[in-house]
Amino acid sequence: MTSVTKQGLGEARATKRTPTYDCARGIGTRSSGFTLLELLVVIVIIGLLAAYVGPKYFAQLGKSEVTVAKAQIESFEKALDTYRLDVGRYPTTEEGLKALLAKPPTALKWNGPYLKKDVPLDPWGHSYLYRAPGTKGDFEILSYGKDGQPGGTDDNADISN
């Protein structure tokens, strides 16, 4: 039995394949890497994905600015409510949102500041407008949107509380 086993191992060694070598080119016949065509196909696929995703991404960017403006207006409303609880009234139009940071001369029970930072500009770089009384209630906080002008649609629409 041992002779058969040795003979079987010999046959296994004899059938073992070694990599071939192309002497004329100086390289092995198995080369790795990508062809130019494969790279072009990948670039085209990436371009198609960018063309599909890009417009959807930039459309969401405008919506996020509106969301930021609404969130800032909501934080002003909370600060104004706290101001009213302390002082007994909302700031006048002349006092504006600055009354949340610095004590107005007429606010005797002022216990601020009611905001941690200065009043920010809206996401488009314009100042928020404050009116007391407002058109819908005790006060109104307003951003004119991207164009900074009253009225408008889409990104240019007015945003208020």
Side-chain angles (χ1 to χ4, degrees):
M1 271 202 195
T2 57
S3 63
V4 173
T5 307
K6 287 181 183 177
Q7 186 180 17
L9 285 177
E11 289 177 10
R13 286 185 188 149
T15 59
K16 184 177 177 185
R17 302 184 98 189
T18 57
T20 58
Y21 189 77
D22 186 354
C23 293
R25 294 186 185 174
I27 57 173
T29 54
R30 293 186 71 195
S31 62
S32 60
F34 298 105
T35 65
L36 181 61
L37 181 62
E38 290 169 332
L39 290 174
L40 289 174
V41 168
V42 169
I43 290 172
V44 167
I45 290 171
I46 291 172
L48 289 172
L49 287 173
Y52 178 72
V53 173
K56 292 182 183 276
Y57 172 75
F58 288 113
Q60 293 298 323
L61 185 61
K63 291 179 184 176
S64 67
E65 290 170 335
V66 171
T67 304
V68 168
K70 288 180 180 179
Q72 287 178 333
I73 288 172
E74 188 175 315
S75 71
F76 297 149
E77 289 174 346
K78 290 177 183 176
L80 286 165
D81 288 338
T82 305
Y83 178 96
R84 186 185 63 81
L85 288 172
D86 289 346
V87 177
R89 63 172 176 80
Y90 289 108
T92 63
T93 302
E94 293 77 29
E95 293 170 340
L97 294 174
K98 292 179 183 176
L100 299 173
L101 296 167
K103 181 182 179 191
T106 59
L108 301 177
K109 295 182 181 179
W110 190 85
N111 193 22
Y114 298 95
L115 294 174
K116 292 181 181 180
K117 299 178 182 178
D118 287 341
V119 177
L121 299 175
D122 69 8
W124 301 279
H126 307 291
S127 296
Y128 285 98
L129 300 174
Y130 173 79
R131 294 183 198 139
T135 56
K136 302 175 199 170
D138 293 327
F139 64 89
E140 180 177 22
I141 304 169
L142 184 68
S143 168
Y144 284 140
K146 187 175 184 176
D147 64 352
Q149 302 296 320
T153 58
D154 298 326
D155 287 347
N156 297 329
D158 298 347
I159 302 165
S160 67
N161 57 330

